[in-house]
Amino acid sequence: MSKKRLSIVDIANNLNISKTTVSFILNGRAKEKRISTEMVDKVLKYVKEVGYKPNSLAKSLRTGKSNTIGLIVEDISNPFFGSIARLIEDRAYKNGYKIIYCSTYNDMQKTRDMINMFRDRHVDGYIIAPPQGVEEDIASLINESMPVVLFDRYLPTIDTDYVVVNNQFSAYNATQYLVGQGYKNIALITFANDQTQMVDRIRGYQMALKEHGLKQLIKELPFAEDLTESITAFLKSRKGIDAVLFGTNRDATYGIKIMHNLGIRIPEDIAVISFDDSDAFELHSPPITTVAQPVEDMAEHIITILLDKLNNNGVGTKNQSIVLHTDLVVRGSSQPVKK
Amino acid sequence: MSKKRLSIVDIANNLNISKTTVSFILNGRAKEKRISTEMVDKVLKYVKEVGYKPNSLAKSLRTGKSNTIGLIVEDISNPFFGSIARLIEDRAYKNGYKIIYCSTYNDMQKTRDMINMFRDRHVDGYIIAPPQGVEEDIASLINESMPVVLFDRYLPTIDTDYVVVNNQFSAYNATQYLVGQGYKNIALITFANDQTQMVDRIRGYQMALKEHGLKQLIKELPFAEDLTESITAFLKSRKGIDAVLFGTNRDATYGIKIMHNLGIRIPEDIAVISFDDSDAFELHSPPITTVAQPVEDMAEHIITILLDKLNNNGVGTKNQSIVLHTDLVVRGSSQPVKK
DNA sequence: CTGAAAGCGCTAACAA
DNA sequence: TTGTTAGCGCTTTCAG
């Protein structure tokens, strides 16, 4: 049972032909090389029979292609990234690509290490939700004409493909909506970093408030494992708040838990809107209004662009910036203020 | 900038030494081979300077090791699997292993394809939450003395390591708890398959009811993308139910949504307990009582066992079956019946 | 202490 | 139409 794996040489020997012939047949170049149909059939039959599998490592070494895509997300256990990963994986496999993945937790050093590891492993292309500080590494990837697609956020100083959503408008729109519902003291609670999606969300929030002459109230969360303390402190100290927009699902999940603990009622005491939709928000009582990102579309665009580059060898294809639109999913957590 | 990558030969040539020496030094076998310290320093310095990275493909081809672990879960976008994946990934990377992963959606054929792909890619070990019907493939992996660790469920006919929880007792205990709270008409709604974890959960539920002479009411959900219809039909048709135990977080998520739609109040009309804890359940009003699996411990055990086998080359290590215990996290969804 | 050389399994130019 | 052969970059035995 535990036979040694056969190589192309073994099968050539057993059939008394050359390994070149086998190689050509296996790679579907029989026609091109005008190999006789009988030969082809014989080889194919034998290969099936003995269950021969080519050694993809050797193939990769020779061809320089690994048929692997490196997927770098922020946190695979976050449903937003999990869903995207799942969809990308599916499409990739259907096109003969495997996925190697990792989570960065927005850690620049870890991300750089991972990029290097992936480079080491000769991945054919990269899909990255980049933290700040990896511009150089990504630039050098691109320099080596590696296909790189960024998503969720992009790097302003790097010219490459990316797929994001219209974060600024989305935040603007969500805030406008809260104002329209009668809220006057709208806070933004969000993880603070310089990533484009965050900057844009903050800007959108600010624009909406400015438009109505309302006061801004931004709580920038620290880079921390646990956000309980900082959010609790904020919510306790600011008694006037009547609505909160959360910058990410993670922030909101913490925030809502804390509101429960503090006995803050949603939306009677504080209305809530979060970025990123999820079951948790839909199930909540009252259900949470969210800015839903079009996860399927994002994944679809990301993988399509990447496969395109992979197939065209990156030649002649212009970089694309895809900006998708979100949906404001209105639910009970943002009901009109009752007088 | 876009220099060709240097190989070990290049660096040997540039230093006027043999590539063997370089290889030995790079692999930390300088001492063993009694290579002069100056030589070592010189090489190391040069390597650092030019940023040489060994070609891991070539290395793998030669050594037969790929330093890659294949991770096969049911659905990476499910928080339960996502969390485990995240933890495993972390430990794996710290030990020099990369992860290749895929989701099976319990599809036997897809799983078999994936196992073959992984085998192709020469992964060094497998971590699998196996669906039914892949026994043969896994057996043949083990036959080739590949380290394989199963988790979440195991295959009764296969002798290999696995990490699971005490599903039967957990379901028994949760059901007992509901009985103790005064519920008399307790249904079990669960995805129906023959996987061990499901069989055990059903059995536990049955034992508890039998013990109290209560009637069993099991709704086996079909293998379907959307569970709305079947759960809705069940909940509508069985007016007597006063409590439900859900077999998985997915089932419960659907179930709770549907209860909302049907105007069923939790726990006044129907009490709820679900397997697998998550933010969604904690945030829900009332928060959902859950059977929480020790995700960290599971991941820890899984990766520890695998790394162990990997290091010992699988020799001399007995297979281990680790059965971890769950926590019944009591929350508002299972409050005592009010008379 | 260091080097020459074989070979992992495959592809593809070149020959026949 | 098929076969010969030279590597891809690395490890490792065996000889110096």
Side-chain angles (χ1 to χ4, degrees):
Chain A
M1 193 74 217
S2 187
K3 291 268 163 94
K4 203 174 159 313
R5 248 175 94 146
L6 308 105
S7 79
I8 202 169
V9 176
D10 297 321
I11 106 138
N13 287 342
N14 294 349
L15 252 32
N16 283 316
I17 55 176
S18 129
K19 63 174 181 172
T20 312
T21 312
V22 180
S23 174
F24 282 145
I25 293 176
L26 258 30
N27 289 315
R29 303 179 56 188
K31 283 241 171 61
E32 179 189 332
K33 295 291 172 182
R34 298 197 286 177
I35 295 171
S36 69
T37 325
E38 309 128 43
M39 184 91 278
V40 174
D41 289 348
K42 190 167 93 183
V43 171
L44 256 29
K45 181 159 168 289
Y46 186 71
V47 160
K48 195 120 287 173
E49 193 183 316
V50 298
Y52 164 76
K53 293 275 176 194
N55 181 327
S56 45
L57 243 34
K59 194 172 188 158
S60 295
L61 178 59
R62 186 59 232 244
T63 60
K65 284 203 52 173
S66 65
N67 279 298
T68 305
I69 293 169
L71 173 59
I72 302 182
V73 300
E74 183 179 311
D75 177 1
I76 195 69
S77 67
N78 180 316
F80 171 66
F81 289 107
S83 308
I84 291 202
R86 166 189 162 156
L87 295 161
I88 286 177
E89 181 206 356
D90 197 48
R91 273 284 305 276
Y93 273 116
K94 282 185 182 138
N95 284 274
Y97 284 91
K98 291 106 217 152
I99 300 282
I100 307 192
Y101 85 96
C102 71
S103 306
T104 65
Y105 312 116
N106 281 322
D107 179 328
M108 172 187 110
Q109 194 49 53
K110 188 177 180 206
T111 309
R112 303 185 65 171
D113 287 351
M114 291 306 136
I115 292 178
N116 280 326
M117 267 195 182
F118 283 0
R119 199 200 299 247
D120 250 39
R121 312 281 302 167
H122 291 236
V123 304
D124 297 327
Y126 295 78
I127 298 173
I128 309 179
Q132 299 302 112
V134 300
E135 284 81 356
E136 251 183 63
D137 306 73
I138 292 185
S140 96
L141 246 31
I142 294 171
N143 235 310
E144 294 165 15
S145 51
M146 267 300 181
V148 178
V149 180
L150 306 182
F151 78 102
D152 187 51
R153 59 205 81 165
Y154 59 93
L155 300 171
T157 59
I158 303 282
D159 180 25
T160 186
D161 302 273
Y162 62 80
V163 177
V164 297
V165 297
N166 57 345
N167 284 294
Q168 183 171 341
F169 177 81
S170 301
Y172 169 83
N173 188 41
T175 311
Q176 280 283 14
Y177 174 76
L178 284 173
V179 173
Q181 295 290 81
Y183 297 97
K184 306 243 179 270
N185 238 306
I186 305 168
L188 173 65
I189 298 183
T190 188
F191 176 54
N193 60 26
D194 290 331
Q195 293 171 6
T196 54
Q197 84 281 22
M198 290 306 158
V199 171
D200 285 351
R201 287 173 196 180
I202 292 175
R203 202 176 290 151
Y205 160 84
Q206 292 174 321
M207 281 180 54
L209 290 193
K210 206 167 287 170
E211 211 172 291
H212 294 279
L214 293 173
K215 203 178 68 210
Q216 293 174 22
L217 205 49
I218 301 179
K219 172 60 185 173
E220 298 202 340
L221 301 173
F223 180 65
E225 180 83 14
D226 193 312
L227 303 174
T228 308
E229 209 173 314
S230 51
I231 296 182
T232 304
F234 178 74
L235 287 178
K236 274 186 172 167
S237 68
R238 308 300 181 119
K239 293 298 183 193
I241 299 170
D242 58 8
V244 173
L245 174 62
F246 286 100
T248 72
N249 59 358
R250 179 162 177 260
D251 305 333
T253 302
Y254 272 100
I256 294 170
K257 274 185 202 172
I258 290 164
M259 289 184 180
H260 285 200
N261 290 345
L262 296 180
I264 297 173
R265 293 167 305 161
I266 302 173
E268 291 82 357
D269 298 329
I270 297 186
V272 167
I273 297 186
S274 174
F275 258 78
D276 306 330
D277 204 5
S278 81
D279 284 332
F281 297 145
E282 188 180 346
L283 283 183
H284 189 267
S285 306
I288 305 295
T289 298
T290 58
V291 177
Q293 304 202 46
V295 178
E296 285 84 6
D297 281 1
M298 292 182 77
E300 187 69 25
H301 274 103
I302 292 166
I303 191 68
T304 302
I305 293 175
L306 191 64
L307 289 174
D308 241 48
K309 292 227 158 182
L310 250 17
N311 294 335
N312 298 346
N313 227 345
V315 184
T317 33
K318 271 276 191 210
N319 285 338
Q320 301 181 54
S321 306
I322 307 263
V323 179
L324 299 170
H325 289 220
T326 60
D327 271 327
L328 182 66
V329 181
V330 173
R331 302 202 182 101
S333 69
S334 58
Q335 278 174 346
V337 172
K338 283 176 198 135
K339 282 290 158 137
Chain B
M1 193 74 216
S2 187
K3 289 268 164 103
K4 203 173 159 315
R5 248 174 93 143
L6 306 105
S7 79
I8 201 168
V9 178
D10 296 323
I11 104 138
N13 286 342
N14 295 349
L15 251 34
N16 284 316
I17 55 175
S18 124
K19 62 174 178 173
T20 311
T21 311
V22 180
S23 173
F24 282 147
I25 294 177
L26 258 29
N27 289 315
R29 302 179 55 188
K31 283 243 171 62
E32 178 188 335
K33 295 291 170 182
R34 298 196 286 175
I35 295 171
S36 67
T37 325
E38 309 127 43
M39 183 90 280
V40 173
D41 288 348
K42 188 167 93 182
V43 171
L44 256 29
K45 181 158 167 287
Y46 186 71
V47 159
K48 194 119 287 174
E49 191 183 317
V50 298
Y52 164 78
K53 293 274 175 196
N55 180 328
S56 48
L57 243 35
K59 192 171 190 160
S60 297
L61 179 60
R62 185 61 230 245
T63 60
K65 286 203 50 172
S66 64
N67 279 298
T68 306
I69 293 170
L71 173 59
I72 302 183
V73 300
E74 184 179 310
D75 177 1
I76 195 69
S77 67
N78 180 316
F80 171 68
F81 289 106
S83 309
I84 291 204
R86 166 189 161 156
L87 295 161
I88 288 178
E89 181 206 354
D90 197 46
R91 273 286 304 275
Y93 274 115
K94 281 184 181 139
N95 284 275
Y97 284 91
K98 290 106 216 154
I99 300 283
I100 306 191
Y101 85 97
C102 70
S103 306
T104 65
Y105 312 115
N106 281 322
D107 179 329
M108 171 188 111
Q109 194 50 55
K110 186 174 182 211
T111 309
R112 304 185 64 172
D113 289 351
M114 290 307 135
I115 291 178
N116 280 325
M117 268 194 181
F118 284 0
R119 200 200 299 247
D120 251 39
R121 312 281 303 168
H122 291 237
V123 304
D124 297 329
Y126 295 78
I127 298 173
I128 309 180
Q132 298 302 113
V134 300
E135 284 81 356
E136 253 184 61
D137 306 72
I138 292 184
S140 97
L141 244 33
I142 295 171
N143 235 308
E144 295 165 14
S145 49
M146 266 300 181
V148 178
V149 179
L150 306 183
F151 78 101
D152 187 50
R153 58 206 82 165
Y154 60 93
L155 300 170
T157 59
I158 304 281
D159 180 25
T160 186
D161 302 274
Y162 61 81
V163 177
V164 297
V165 297
N166 57 346
N167 284 295
Q168 183 170 341
F169 178 80
S170 301
Y172 169 82
N173 189 41
T175 311
Q176 280 283 16
Y177 176 75
L178 285 172
V179 174
Q181 296 289 81
Y183 297 98
K184 304 243 180 269
N185 239 306
I186 304 168
L188 173 64
I189 299 183
T190 188
F191 176 54
N193 59 27
D194 291 331
Q195 293 172 6
T196 55
Q197 84 281 24
M198 289 307 158
V199 171
D200 285 351
R201 287 173 196 180
I202 292 176
R203 204 175 289 151
Y205 160 84
Q206 292 174 323
M207 282 180 52
L209 290 193
K210 206 167 286 169
E211 209 171 295
H212 295 278
L214 294 173
K215 204 177 69 210
Q216 293 174 22
L217 204 50
I218 300 179
K219 172 60 186 175
E220 298 203 339
L221 300 173
F223 180 65
E225 180 82 13
D226 193 311
L227 303 174
T228 309
E229 209 173 313
S230 51
I231 296 182
T232 305
F234 178 74
L235 286 178
K236 273 186 173 167
S237 69
R238 307 301 182 119
K239 292 301 183 192
I241 301 169
D242 59 7
V244 173
L245 174 63
F246 287 100
T248 71
N249 59 358
R250 177 162 177 259
D251 306 333
T253 303
Y254 272 100
I256 294 170
K257 274 185 202 171
I258 291 164
M259 289 183 181
H260 285 200
N261 290 344
L262 296 179
I264 296 172
R265 293 166 306 161
I266 304 172
E268 292 82 358
D269 299 328
I270 297 185
V272 167
I273 296 185
S274 174
F275 259 80
D276 307 330
D277 204 4
S278 79
D279 285 332
F281 298 145
E282 188 181 348
L283 282 184
H284 189 268
S285 307
I288 306 294
T289 297
T290 57
V291 178
Q293 304 202 45
V295 178
E296 285 84 5
D297 281 1
M298 293 181 76
E300 187 68 23
H301 275 103
I302 293 167
I303 192 69
T304 302
I305 293 175
L306 191 63
L307 289 174
D308 241 47
K309 292 227 158 183
L310 250 17
N311 294 335
N312 296 347
N313 227 345
V315 183
T317 33
K318 271 278 193 208
N319 285 337
Q320 300 183 54
S321 306
I322 307 264
V323 179
L324 300 170
H325 289 219
T326 60
D327 271 326
L328 183 65
V329 180
V330 173
R331 301 202 183 99
S333 69
S334 58
Q335 277 173 347
V337 172
K338 283 177 197 135
K339 281 292 159 129

